[in-house]
Amino acid sequence: NPDAAFIPPAEFAAIPPHHLTVGEAYSFDFYVGGKDPVLSVSEGSLPAGVQLSNNDFTGTPTEAGTYEVTLKLEGESPNERKVILFVHENNLATTASSVITPENSSENSDRLNDGLIAGHSSFYQTGSPKPEARDWIPEFNDTYMSAPYDEPEEMSVGYMWNENQDISTLVVYMGAGFSKSGWFKELTVEYLNDAGEWEEVEDVNITPDLVGEPNLFTKPEYVPYQLSFSSMNTKGIRIMGTPGGAIEPRVEEIKYEYFLMLSEIEVYQ
């Protein structure tokens, strides 16, 4: 039948948390199948300055806060999805006096707070004490790659300030995915206490749940993890974690490396 038309079935995929910044234009295009699909907000309120138009989020947020809304897909197969929008203001990372990195891995560390995310700029570090670098990976924009490290060990990345800062939220953007490593197996937060010693922050809430199991096929690229906790007044904050890796090489001759791949770490009050 030359006049037949294919209409994909209605579908509405899960929606990860969104991170917005006060005063910065924002847009997000939802994909929904079906014939003439229509999205609407059935519960909650969008941030001031942001609207749902033609099945897309668009606008410029004007007020910081956390907004949880339920979107409803009308049509032949009604479906609902919840979405959380975090609206941030005043990224303290841009005012840091120095960046904390693992030993001998400071090259290109300014990419952690340069405001570029999702493939434009990443900090690539392997934890090796050797200072050699390899820059043959153009798709990562000449990101730093140190010599391989044979065994995983805990690494820290963060910021220092000359004056105390009130901090309650970190947003950690992972970098590009690698088949062997580049992600955190676990993630904690430490702050510099009044005695000048690093102390673990208690009751850290990570959104979404950290993907840390040794499955190289489930590692999302550039995913933002929000780490929320009771406000700390401190001159230093850092994330701590052990780089992940596959359970074992599929080919005996392959030597596995252990490293971190980060695009951005934002800091908020």
Side-chain angles (χ1 to χ4, degrees):
N1 182 355
D3 297 323
F6 171 73
I7 300 176
E11 56 182 336
F12 195 12
I15 306 169
H18 288 218
H19 293 268
L20 295 70
T21 302
V22 170
E24 294 187 6
Y26 161 78
S27 64
F28 184 82
D29 301 334
F30 292 100
Y31 171 77
V32 287
K35 183 179 181 181
D36 302 323
V38 176
L39 286 180
S40 63
V41 177
S42 60
E43 292 184 21
S45 299
L46 290 170
V50 177
Q51 55 275 336
L52 178 64
S53 176
N54 296 322
N55 295 340
D56 299 331
F57 280 159
T58 183
T60 302
T62 60
E63 187 174 346
T66 300
Y67 304 83
E68 183 171 335
V69 299
T70 300
L71 298 182
K72 183 176 182 180
L73 173 61
E74 310 285 353
E76 300 174 358
S77 301
N79 199 351
E80 288 187 336
R81 293 287 186 184
K82 289 186 177 181
V83 58
I84 300 176
L85 296 96
F86 297 108
V87 182
H88 306 288
E89 186 175 23
N90 187 24
N91 180 12
L92 299 175
T94 62
T95 65
S97 57
S98 60
V99 179
I100 301 168
T101 60
E103 184 179 0
N104 294 324
S105 297
S106 61
E107 185 176 351
N108 293 330
S109 61
D110 58 332
R111 295 177 177 176
L112 290 169
N113 60 349
D114 63 2
L116 299 177
I117 303 170
H120 298 289
S121 174
S122 295
F123 173 69
Y124 185 18
Q125 176 282 321
T126 68
S128 172
K130 301 177 183 179
E132 294 90 349
R134 290 177 286 176
D135 59 358
W136 43 266
I137 312 179
E139 59 266 38
F140 298 130
N141 298 305
D142 298 322
T143 52
Y144 169 65
M145 181 178 181
S146 71
Y149 197 78
D150 294 337
E151 299 292 335
E153 63 179 57
E154 193 172 48
M155 301 178 187
S156 62
V157 185
Y159 303 109
M160 295 289 295
W161 292 265
N162 293 325
E163 304 294 335
N164 279 38
Q165 309 291 324
D166 291 322
I167 299 172
S168 66
T169 301
L170 305 178
V171 182
V172 179
Y173 287 84
M174 302 308 296
F178 269 70
S179 62
K180 296 184 294 184
S181 191
W183 61 86
F184 284 106
K185 291 172 59 179
E186 74 286 322
L187 195 56
T188 59
V189 180
E190 293 186 345
Y191 74 101
L192 198 66
N193 62 25
D194 292 338
E197 299 174 344
W198 290 103
E199 184 175 336
E200 184 173 347
V201 176
E202 298 180 352
D203 300 323
V204 176
N205 180 56
I206 302 179
T207 306
D209 292 338
L210 183 68
V211 180
E213 77 276 0
N215 185 341
L216 57 88
F217 300 107
T218 63
K219 303 305 167 192
E221 294 187 344
Y222 306 107
V223 61
Y225 290 108
Q226 175 154 311
L227 287 67
S228 304
F229 42 87
S230 297
S231 183
M232 300 288 173
N233 184 259
T234 180
K235 289 184 178 180
I237 199 82
R238 68 183 185 181
I239 56 175
M240 299 285 295
T242 305
I247 298 176
E248 60 183 14
R250 292 190 300 274
V251 180
E252 187 174 343
E253 290 77 16
I254 294 179
K255 183 178 181 180
Y256 268 47
E257 307 171 345
Y258 295 89
F259 55 87
L260 297 178
M261 188 73 171
L262 299 170
S263 180
E264 197 82 5
I265 301 179
E266 299 173 345
V267 182
Y268 299 100
Q269 294 183 347

